[in-house]
Amino acid sequence: MHASLRPFAVFYFWYYAALGAYTPYVGRWVDAMGHGGFVVGAMLGLWYGTRIVAPPAWAALTGRSARPGEWFVAGCVATLLCFAGFLFTREPWALLGVMAVFGLFYNAVMPQFEAMTLAALGPAPEQYGRLRVWGSVGFLLVAGSFGALMDRVGALAFPWLTLPLFAAMALAAWPHRHDRPPPPAPGVGEAGHLFRRPGVRRFLMVAMLMQLGFGPFYVFYTLHLQAAGHSGAAIGALWSIGVLIEIAMFWQAPRLIARLGAGPLLSACLGVTVLRWALVAAFADSLWIMALAQCTHALSFATFHACCMRLITDYFPGRRAAAGQSLLYGFSSGVGGVLGAGLAALMWERAGGGPAAFAAGAVVTALAWLVYALRRPAPAQA
């Protein structure tokens, strides 16, 4: 890795290390305080909901600034300060209030950073996966250890255990304070015009449905496995398996995309993910089947995400990269995340718990596959 790219890898590491504590275990913390599935779902739903508002608002602010890197650092520091609010909250409405302001900043900075990363890569965007893989390493180390750690010290210690990770993320942002925006691409129209380009809306719809199908996984996977009798250490190991295979695939993704094309790979990822959620719904008590299902994370997440990043550089080149990232975050992680968390909470509380929630995830992902399969080939889709 070139020395100029190392600060990008470091930030990815700490951003996703913090996420490796937050996403798998915040539900366990909320559950340990005595709150039910709807509060857990609302926490994660609000987390994803801020992805609809935060990225475009943040992009508008940073886009007008001559020093966008300083805005980036400020956003990371604000994320740290807002997360500290969880140290003093226990009631549902207080939790949701802190979640709203924390999510606004945490979800704002990554689309900006992704655009900065693509600008730094220049004419080699296919090498993105080899930087992003360090985020997976950070997620792996934390997600794999937090289950056993919370078994030992108690789930209520979650905010204290996680806060240092956000402090490290803020420090890792500092070297990027002087990063510049991407150079303009000649002949590129407005983002609204690009949104109407053939294939863009279908692509965003598929990304949204894929994220919606992931809702039960992000909200209730840890609690689903806990209900099936697995220990915190075993649950952490299962999270680790998924991320380990994800890391391996991120290294191979550039070669696969170059050989097979982002479009066909995207379709394969959707099909495999349908099978994954069906297995999690039906065989949660089997550690070996759950380990096998986690291995498919290589396609469900790593390859799918790398394909999306490859396609977004076609649809939104140059300075439009930030607008493209904001749209992708808004549609997939934002709308898809909110709907996915709501669907998961409803199924968990009203339709039979984890099996029903993950079965619903399989159905939604099958719909995403169908939508993408009916696309008309477009030159932009490699």
Side-chain angles (χ1 to χ4, degrees):
M1 182 189 301
H2 193 276
S4 65
L5 296 177
R6 286 174 188 160
F8 291 88
V10 171
F11 183 80
Y12 275 121
F13 179 92
W14 287 111
Y15 181 94
Y16 285 101
L19 195 64
Y22 183 81
T23 302
Y25 299 109
V26 68
R28 182 174 172 183
W29 173 56
V30 175
D31 181 71
M33 288 189 288
H35 304 302
F38 281 124
V39 177
V40 176
M43 284 284 288
L44 271 297
L46 190 56
W47 153 256
Y48 288 113
T50 57
R51 292 188 173 187
I52 302 173
V53 178
W58 194 255
L61 288 172
T62 59
R64 290 195 295 266
S65 173
R67 297 184 295 273
E70 294 180 3
W71 279 92
F72 174 70
V73 174
C76 292
V77 172
T79 300
L80 167 65
L81 296 176
C82 292
F83 184 84
F86 284 126
L87 299 174
F88 313 105
T89 52
R90 290 294 180 271
E91 295 302 316
W93 290 111
L95 289 170
L96 294 175
V98 173
M99 179 69 255
V101 292
F102 161 68
L104 281 172
F105 288 107
Y106 194 27
N107 286 319
V109 296
M110 183 47 71
Q112 181 188 1
F113 187 71
E114 297 268 47
M116 289 157 55
T117 301
L118 292 173
L121 289 172
E126 67 278 1
Q127 296 302 314
Y128 164 82
R130 293 180 179 175
L131 288 178
R132 172 62 178 79
V133 71
W134 291 101
S136 299
V137 173
F139 191 99
L140 167 68
L141 293 176
V142 174
S145 61
F146 252 51
L149 185 59
M150 290 174 74
D151 281 350
R152 179 177 293 272
V153 303
L156 294 178
F158 166 80
W160 291 103
L161 297 173
T162 308
L163 190 64
L165 300 174
F166 283 104
M169 183 196 79
L171 289 174
W174 181 251
H176 299 281
R177 64 193 181 279
H178 299 308
D179 284 9
R180 311 303 300 174
V188 175
E190 293 299 317
H193 171 70
L194 291 174
F195 179 72
R196 295 190 293 271
R197 187 178 180 182
V200 170
R201 284 170 292 187
R202 185 181 296 269
F203 165 67
L204 294 173
M205 174 67 71
V206 168
M208 183 199 74
L209 289 172
M210 181 67 147
Q211 184 68 44
L212 202 163
F214 260 87
F217 179 73
Y218 288 135
V219 180
F220 290 116
Y221 184 66
T222 295
L223 294 178
H224 180 50
L225 294 178
Q226 191 172 286
H230 300 294
S231 68
I235 294 169
L238 287 170
W239 279 97
S240 298
I241 288 171
V243 183
L244 275 172
I245 201 75
E246 168 191 319
I247 291 169
M249 185 55 76
F250 265 129
W251 282 104
Q252 295 300 318
R255 185 179 305 170
L256 285 174
I257 292 173
R259 181 176 180 182
L260 301 176
L265 271 177
L266 203 69
S267 184
C269 293
L270 292 165
V272 168
T273 307
V274 175
L275 176 62
R276 177 186 184 180
W277 300 146
L279 289 174
V280 175
F283 302 103
D285 58 339
S286 171
L287 185 62
W288 294 107
I289 295 179
M290 290 302 92
L292 177 64
Q294 281 296 86
C295 288
T296 68
H297 201 64
L299 292 172
S300 297
F301 180 79
T303 306
F304 183 85
H305 186 66
C307 289
C308 286
M309 293 300 296
R310 176 65 185 86
L311 291 172
I312 209 74
T313 61
D314 290 331
Y315 293 129
F316 299 91
R319 288 185 66 92
R320 301 302 175 190
Q325 291 293 339
S326 296
L327 276 174
L328 182 61
Y329 257 58
F331 273 87
S332 63
S333 297
V335 177
V338 170
L339 295 177
L343 176 65
L346 184 63
M347 294 305 231
W348 182 272
E349 289 287 346
R350 297 284 187 258
F358 281 95
V363 171
V364 170
T365 310
L367 177 60
W369 178 87
L370 179 62
V371 169
Y372 198 66
L374 295 176
R375 75 193 187 282
R376 288 177 291 182
Q381 291 175 307

